Amino acid sequence: MMPRFIPPRLDVIENIEEYYPGGYHPISIGDVFDQGRFRVLHKLGFGGSSTVWLARDQLEGKHRGRIVTLRAMRADVSSSNEMPELAILQKLRALLPPSEYVNFQTIDHHFFVQGPNGSHLFLISPLAGPSILAMSDSPGRVAGSRRLRADLARKVSKQLVATVYHMHNMGIVHGDLTTSNILFCLSPHVLEWSDAEVYSHLGDPETEEVTTRDRQPPGPHAPAVLIAPIQNSKISHASLLQERTVICDFGQSYLPASPPSSYKPGTLLNYQSPEGRFEGRASFEADIWSLGCAIFEIRAGLALFEPILGSDTDILRQTVEMLGRLPDPWWGAFKHRSLWFEEDGQPKSEQDQERAGLLLKSHATSIRAKLLRIGELDVRPFGGDDDGPMMEKHGTRLPDVEVELLTNLLGKMLRYRPEERISIQDVIQHPWFKL
């Protein structure tokens, strides 16, 4: 099908071609939903299955309602039979013990909206702050230059592990543990901002008119204007945040005792376990693998397996560099292994890789080696000496005792064979969290 629209100038924006029957619901600033209860103030972001908005809950009887997260699902994923997230969150909410270390983003309300592209499920959640991934973003600087300070990284990791511990004890697999799904909680006063305070702190929405290739009006299926999400830097200041996190996005969660018949792992490639990658299996053990990747990233400020090139082959190359040869039959399924590796899993010589014309060469590394390099290449923040009270001071290296403990923990979590990984019960008891 030929594209209908001229590509927008806005950088971070959903694919406008996805506004069609079955796709996104067109939303504008000021729109109200659920009989006028929720009014859209700004845009938070988007994903493959939804657009996400900052809205005000104008429930009758309130002088000025709280601001909340409104997630508008695509019509083609809005069937109640295809939204296990609601059932999982209801189960979690009913059974998880109240605790400082058991935190997940709830869905407090949901409803359906009939629009030009179909029937859309809308999910309302408490507004949360930036993700761990967003907090570590350091444009123009070496990756990892901006990372949480050591004690906060361990605190956040413990909160994450404790929540996964309770989920596993309840028989629930999360299925998508990444740093983009771990959000900082906002300070209570932020949730009470007036409209004027929202725009004063977060800026006015940046918009761009939608233009069709034939210069005709976009029609009812697409919005009249596109809206850029709030800039991460606007919501990442320490004065707006608590040192507490919540896990979000339970769209890949399920109960292994009764798995969905059509389940396919949807984890990002650089977080996906070998059994998920090669066999399409998700499990408690796959959560442990993803959790290990997340803990490294929380501490280091950059991904364990860099997704820069975005390809499955490159992630596998990095994995074998660090953990060695994959077990059979997975090793045989790594089709391009011979470009970089001998059959024993060791990288080929520099000369052999050069003769093969490889621009990206493979070199053996390890979890310990990666931990030892944290802080080595830090670049100072522009216009200052540090990134604020929640972040590590520039150039700080991990002490030897932490390197050894974290190497031990991650080494046990990132075993190729799922049955050889430690359980979440063992993870939560590990001495790294007690430093």
Side-chain angles (χ1 to χ4, degrees):
M1 183 184 295
M2 289 289 294
R4 296 174 295 156
F5 302 101
I6 293 175
R9 290 176 291 100
L10 294 174
D11 288 334
V12 184
I13 206 76
E14 66 272 19
N15 182 359
I16 190 172
E17 301 294 341
E18 295 297 314
Y19 283 99
Y20 61 81
Y24 294 126
H25 180 67
I27 293 177
S28 300
I29 301 299
D31 284 355
V32 293
F33 298 102
D34 199 24
Q35 300 179 323
R37 177 174 173 180
F38 299 100
R39 176 167 53 88
V40 175
L41 300 178
H42 216 313
K43 187 176 185 180
L44 294 172
F46 62 92
S49 60
S50 66
T51 54
V52 188
W53 304 83
L54 187 153
R56 187 172 301 283
D57 184 351
Q58 303 179 130
L59 186 63
E60 188 177 355
K62 291 186 177 181
H63 170 64
R64 183 177 73 208
R66 285 191 156 206
I67 50 178
V68 297
T69 298
L70 180 151
R71 185 147 58 109
M73 306 302 295
R74 290 170 55 105
D76 54 13
V77 298
S78 288
S79 164
S80 58
N81 294 328
E82 296 177 16
M83 288 300 297
E85 186 167 4
L86 288 173
I88 293 292
L89 281 169
Q90 287 168 355
K91 183 178 176 72
L92 284 170
R93 197 169 191 174
L95 297 179
L96 275 178
S99 165
E100 178 185 356
Y101 288 126
V102 180
N103 299 290
F104 58 96
Q105 190 177 41
T106 58
I107 294 175
D108 293 342
H109 185 61
H110 68 277
F111 53 92
F112 284 86
V113 171
Q114 188 66 40
N117 295 330
S119 180
H120 302 263
L121 177 63
F122 277 46
L123 305 173
I124 305 297
S125 300
L127 182 66
S131 67
I132 299 285
L133 178 64
M135 285 288 284
S136 300
D137 189 30
S138 54
R141 297 159 66 188
V142 173
S145 293
R146 179 181 164 91
R147 58 187 178 278
L148 299 178
R149 63 172 202 271
D151 65 300
L152 181 55
R154 288 190 294 272
K155 181 180 180 181
V156 166
S157 297
K158 186 173 182 180
Q159 292 170 6
L160 171 62
V161 169
T163 303
V164 175
Y165 170 83
H166 288 290
M167 289 184 69
H168 284 193
N169 282 350
M170 293 167 58
I172 299 172
V173 168
H174 184 277
D176 194 16
L177 293 169
T178 71
T179 54
S180 61
N181 289 334
I182 309 164
L183 312 178
F184 275 96
C185 296
L186 291 166
S187 297
H189 75 275
V190 175
L191 306 180
E192 306 294 341
W193 277 347
S194 66
D195 289 7
E197 288 172 315
V198 167
Y199 296 123
S200 172
H201 284 89
L202 306 181
D204 291 328
E206 184 182 0
T207 62
E208 180 181 343
E209 285 191 12
V210 171
T211 308
T212 59
R213 291 182 180 273
D214 60 9
R215 302 297 172 174
Q216 296 297 310
H221 300 290
V225 297
L226 291 171
I227 302 166
I230 295 165
Q231 292 179 18
N232 172 55
S233 59
K234 301 282 189 183
I235 199 72
S236 299
H237 195 276
S239 65
L240 306 180
L241 306 178
Q242 301 181 55
E243 293 191 352
R244 187 167 65 86
T245 56
V246 291
I247 298 179
C248 69
D249 194 349
F250 295 82
Q252 287 287 316
S253 302
Y254 74 100
L255 282 71
S258 54
S261 58
S262 59
Y263 186 86
K264 292 182 180 178
T267 313
L268 291 173
L269 289 175
N270 60 319
Y271 278 85
Q272 194 172 58
S273 67
E275 67 272 20
R277 185 189 311 273
F278 292 108
E279 299 176 8
R281 286 194 288 135
S283 61
F284 299 115
E285 294 82 7
D287 268 359
I288 297 297
W289 178 282
S290 299
L291 188 58
C293 295
I295 288 172
F296 177 90
E297 190 168 337
I298 290 168
R299 187 63 185 95
L302 76 166
L304 182 61
F305 305 115
E306 287 289 350
I308 296 172
L309 299 181
S311 74
D312 183 57
T313 297
D314 188 58
I315 299 298
L316 278 176
R317 177 189 63 79
Q318 294 178 56
T319 305
V320 174
E321 277 183 349
M322 190 178 72
L323 301 177
R325 186 186 191 275
L326 289 154
D328 294 322
W330 298 338
W331 181 245
F334 180 13
K335 293 181 181 178
H336 301 290
R337 65 188 185 279
S338 61
L339 290 175
W340 295 284
F341 301 103
E342 306 289 357
E343 274 305 296
D344 63 358
Q346 290 299 308
K348 288 187 172 180
S349 69
E350 186 93 7
Q351 294 79 5
D352 284 348
Q353 294 186 61
E354 284 182 359
R355 277 195 291 269
L358 297 176
L359 295 177
L360 194 61
K361 298 180 179 64
S362 187
H363 304 278
T365 185
S366 66
I367 294 171
R368 186 175 185 277
K370 285 180 173 282
L371 293 172
L372 285 169
R373 295 199 69 187
I374 293 174
E376 182 180 66
L377 301 176
D378 283 359
V379 174
R380 290 183 182 277
F382 304 114
D385 290 329
D386 62 59
D387 289 292
M390 296 178 71
M391 312 307 288
E392 191 96 282
K393 298 294 185 185
H394 166 264
T396 303
R397 311 294 289 272
L398 270 63
D400 290 345
V401 64
E402 182 174 13
V403 169
E404 298 310 320
L405 286 173
L406 194 48
T407 298
N408 179 270
L409 172 62
L410 297 180
K412 292 176 177 178
M413 298 176 75
L414 297 170
R415 300 276 174 84
Y416 279 136
R417 297 189 185 279
E419 65 273 12
E420 294 178 0
R421 292 173 212 147
I422 59 174
S423 69
I424 194 66
Q425 289 85 354
D426 294 322
V427 174
I428 205 169
Q429 296 296 329
H430 197 275
W432 177 71
F433 296 102
K434 300 169 185 174
L435 283 175

